[in-house]
Amino acid sequence: MGDMTNSDFYTKNQRNEGNHAGGFGCSLMELRSLMELRGTEATVKIQEDYGSVEGLCQRLKTSPTEGLAGVAPDLDKRKEVYGENLIPPKKPKTFLELVWEALQDVTLIILEIAAIISLGLSFYQPPGEGSEMCGAANAGAEDEGESEAGWIEGAAILLSVVCVVLVTAFNDWSKEKQFRGLQSRIEQEQKFQVVRGGQVIQLPVADIVVGDIAQIKYGDLLPTDGVLIQGNDLKIDESSLTGESDHVRKSADKDPMLLSGTHVMEGSGRMVVTAVGVNSQTGIIFTLLGAGGEEEEKKEKKVKKQDGAAAMEMQPLKSAEGGETDEREKKKANISKKDKSVLQGKLTKLAVQIGKAGLLMSAITVIILVLYFAIDNFVLQKRLWLPECTPVYIQYFVKFFIIGVTVLVVAVPEGLPLAVTISLAYSVKKMMKDNNLVRHLDACETMGNATAICSDKTGTLTTNRMTAVQCYVGDVHYKVIPDPSVINSKTLDTLVNAISLNSAYTTKILPPDKEGGLPKQVGNKTECGLLGLVLELKRDYQTIRNQIPEEKLYKVYTFNSVRKSMSTVIKLPDGSFRMYSKGASEIVLKKCSRILSDVGETRVFRPRDRDEMVKKVIEPMACDGLRTICVGFRDFPADPEPNWDDESNILSDLTAICVVGIEDPVRPEVPDAIQKCQRAGITVRMVTGDNINTARAIAIKCGIIHPGEDFLCIDGKEFNRRIRNEKGEVEQERIDKVWPKLRVLARSSPTDKHTLVKGIIDSTLVDQRQVVAVTGDGTNDGPALKKADVGFAMGIAGTDVAKEASDIILTDDNFSSIVKAVMWGRNVYDSISKFLQFQLTVNVVAVIVAFTGACITQDSPLKAVQMLWVNLIMDTFASLALATEPPTESLLMRKPYGRDKPLISSTMTKNILGHGVYQLTIIFTLLFVGEQIFDIDSGRNAPLHSPPSEHYTIIFNTFVMMQLFNEINARKIHGERNVFDGIFRNPIFCSIVLGTFAIQIVIVQFGGKPFSCSPLDLEKWMWCVFLGLGELVWGQVISTIPNSKLRFLKGAGRLTQKDEMPEEELNEDQEEIDHAERELRRGQILWFRGLNRIQTQIEVVNTFKSGTSFQGALRRQSSTTSQNQDVTNVSSPSHVSLSNALSSPTSTTAVPAGQC
């Protein structure tokens, strides 16, 4: 993978073997081979070689409890001997490689060939030059100076090709740089808990060294390999390495081997780090990948030739899923991910349609020109084709060919991918400031179409600062935390011990960062609330923890979503056992058969008492929006020792100590954010593990539900009862009865969340397919985050597993940041629509002008070089100008667009056609009667190589002026009147319009022969600008015409809709393949050979796809490969040539292409 090849490694290691690893008791190779063992083998090996894990720690000169001292020389030495914890990334593409890739563009190649032929012919002096026989061919070439200038046109085309290539390459280069920046930023953000010098500190993953003692807990993604020193109920998901989806139980005596890149699914523990970076298990796999990288690339090229798009689809999955799924599932995964981006599908389809039209037009143009020339010369004037005239005629044909290619160049909107990329990259960069870290580019745009948000309660809608505010202890319900003196001292001791010991020792309350601030809560927030209660009762939990350190805990049943409780067993001095338990009150109370009375004695607690307590204590607390936690305990005899694995018996017959009401206040900005969502047509649903009354109270405070409305608040049990049939299977029609009114789902398990999200997405109840966003922070939220159209993970409270499955990370865990994401998403969609509106107007006009002009006057009024300049204005510059409009609050005032709304709305179609009509009228007027209006020589029917005419210069100049002013019109797409609104908030736009204007002046006045321009005087300039300004006035006229009057526009706007819906259903089966094949049979493949231009469009898709496969790249070390493959995909337009894409009908790109 890295710059080191394997052989370098071994030589380096051999050197280390000699002096036994620079003074440490284990060499690098010893540790590497140790980490390859599993289970009992590993335990035996540790016993034989080191005596115990403690022995291993001694050899590594570290203490299992205190960790490393953390002094710089020692850390540096460890890095030198055992390596650093990072995997060197693959080298990015150089600028020259990107230039070469941009040159692969078919249209550019055609232009280059045309230009070279044109150059060659201009230097060739044909012998028949003087003879009259060649007819019109050489008229006008008498002027010596002029005929010599024939080379200029060819040279100018080449020059403009160079410009286009450099611009494309630069864009790709900056895009790749941005991705890498994002990647490294995410890598820096991942921290891990390590013990150094007896203190637990958060350390960036890259700084961890061999010998560090790392604390691992539920939800972590392990950054290194290690050996477990002590663990509580630890279960690991090793599927990313082994492909086995069952969770592996780890314990210090049976299977202590922990591997990098695996996920902690349950429990907690401490491990000693034994291998980092390229020497860890994930790292070794990478090194192998890296060594095979060159061969792989060669192979990949072969594969690409065979079935371009499909091969590319599979790549990211290989490294990301680690072979977990078989091929069929992978295909499914592809389809579901691809199905994601709404915009992507619409754009591809549109681009293909435009491309076809352009190709058709350019072919017809060339054919008409050639026929006209042939008929005129050889039929009407009855000339013979003389050998000496051949070069002259060929020169004409080359000229016609160049005109044809120019029409094609203008017709194909290659600025589209650019606009999309710029718009997304700009948004992603700006979204960082709004606390949204976007991991998959397309998520940003999908968010604009969101119709439903399923949000967690804790930490997203609330502040996640838990404070105990009420408690029920010793038969009394205290509405505020009581003075410790009123509680029986025995009860108080039991309570304080139960809370201090039965909570993760990583959970602490630290003094505030700044004077007068709130104390800092570290670790599990609910536990922090309970520890806060201990501190309010004037006790210190740390002294109790010091008496019984973590390794002395006899057995820990960690919290998981099934148990909904946590219990810890300790051994008392007399040999008997005591278990402390805490958890959701209704669950723990069911297991209680006794309760501590006001004098600290146990008395019987019957189901009748429990019901009364639920009514009198728990429900009132919950209705105040409090989370209720019950704390209890149970004593076991020393002999016989209970069977700790028999959980159902152990966790029963408890004695309740108290019930605590913990408040987690709603974030102040949330109600407002939720109101905005509702106004924007987005339904917010709360999905929480909390009690139903608590959830309802918080939902009312947030404004998710309003009293008196018709909505559902149900808990997981009721939800499952309603959606499952007698056999216990989930039925879609049952879900359809529940979800539209559902607003709060309480006491939900992770599967409930996943079922709900899937149910809403798959529902056909409403005519629009719902686009669902989900927030999650826990490991168990992974499946729902993956299933959702956009998954938001919490940056602060979120576990690595959740971040891995998500598309966007909320760096401040705040719901109002989601609203910002919606705003940006809609803005991306609008920016691209603005660009399309502008681009298509220019396209329509330029193509029609070139086409009719060529057919009537045998010469396009707009020359090849001028067309390329227009192309540059409308593609590169316009995409920059229109794609960087900042979002406004008004975006949230409308409903989402939905999946099947056409990309080009009827208002946009009206604008495109309206402005098209204006521009064509002006240009044709100038073309046919311009010489009379301005009293100048006509430029029509000018012979080959004649000097540029003022007449055609005026046409070119007016055309550009109209585009410039129309760019201002294009800023509004919903028929707003004031097109200047907010124009100064976008400095990029202003500078581009002014810059283009300045360059245009230079081109016209000093462009001369290469640009086919002759300088104009001030009066003519004023006319050109005046005709351009007419665009703004005409824009107002167009927006007065109501859409309803223009019935025919309805059809025009549905460019991309016709098979949007069937595609959805087809995705389920493999039918779509046959569908595509059937379409392709119609001889369309021939079209596409020439249509490779549309590669660029597919690049749009790639950019998005790379967003998609920009897979967990981010947080996974394995990322580096998948990422590097993807980044290359992003940056090269030539990755998928269309003909390849078509040969494999499975690939996405082929399907839309076939269907249009």
Side-chain angles (χ1 to χ4, degrees), residues 889-931:
E889 285 280 328
S890 62
L891 289 167
L892 293 174
M893 303 304 272
R894 61 170 175 77
K895 300 278 176 277
Y897 279 141
R899 289 203 157 236
D900 46 3
K901 180 174 181 299
L903 196 56
I904 300 175
S905 63
S906 46
T907 314
M908 285 166 63
T909 316
K910 180 178 75 177
N911 288 342
I912 292 170
L913 295 179
H915 289 295
V917 168
Y918 172 82
Q919 296 187 9
L920 286 171
T921 316
I922 298 280
I923 285 180
F924 284 136
T925 311
L926 287 177
L927 181 59
F928 295 114
V929 291
E931 70 269 30

Side-chain angles (χ1 to χ4, degrees), residues 650-664:
I650 298 276
L651 297 181
S652 63
D653 200 21
L654 304 175
T655 307
I657 307 171
C658 85
V659 173
V660 185
I662 294 182
E663 182 183 42
D664 184 8

Side-chain angles (χ1 to χ4, degrees), residues 689-809:
D690 235 333
N691 173 317
I692 180 122
N693 297 322
T694 311
R696 189 184 290 120
I698 299 277
I700 291 173
K701 281 185 192 166
C702 292
I704 290 178
I705 52 182
H706 303 286
E709 274 181 1
D710 177 21
F711 54 78
L712 274 180
C713 281
I714 54 177
D715 60 10
K717 251 201 200 109
E718 173 66 9
F719 175 67
N720 279 308
R721 195 183 62 69
R722 292 191 185 197
I723 63 168
R724 292 179 191 274
N725 58 17
E726 297 69 51
K727 293 185 198 145
E729 295 159 347
V730 178
E731 284 186 2
Q732 185 63 42
E733 47 271 29
R734 287 172 181 245
I735 297 187
D736 286 347
K737 290 194 186 108
V738 177
W739 74 260
K741 287 188 177 173
L742 180 70
R743 291 294 176 273
V744 175
L745 179 57
R747 282 276 175 253
S748 70
S749 68
T751 27
D752 295 340
K753 193 171 187 175
H754 182 259
T755 311
L756 175 66
V757 173
K758 185 175 182 311
I760 298 180
I761 289 179
D762 295 347
S763 172
T764 49
L765 201 62
V766 277
D767 45 357
Q768 298 264 351
R769 138 132 154 62
Q770 296 277 307
V771 177
V772 185
V774 170
T775 69
D777 52 7
T779 304
N780 46 20
D781 291 328
L785 288 172
K786 263 203 159 68
K787 178 68 196 166
D789 292 289
V790 181
F792 285 91
M794 303 297 137
I796 305 169
T799 57
D800 295 338
V801 184
K803 290 177 186 171
E804 193 64 57
S806 69
D807 300 292
I808 296 179
I809 296 173

Side-chain angles (χ1 to χ4, degrees), residues 813-834:
D813 289 13
N814 193 337
F815 187 83
S816 58
S817 303
I818 298 179
V819 182
K820 299 250 179 62
V822 172
M823 209 154 84
W824 276 107
R826 293 186 172 189
N827 192 51
V828 167
Y829 201 97
D830 278 9
S831 296
I832 289 164
S833 297
K834 288 172 191 175

Side-chain angles (χ1 to χ4, degrees), residues 560-581:
N560 65 21
S561 52
V562 182
R563 292 190 188 120
K564 290 241 187 266
S565 68
M566 170 180 178
S567 314
T568 301
V569 182
I570 55 167
K571 200 167 186 172
L572 299 174
D574 61 1
S576 63
F577 300 97
R578 172 170 279 190
M579 176 179 77
Y580 293 114
S581 213

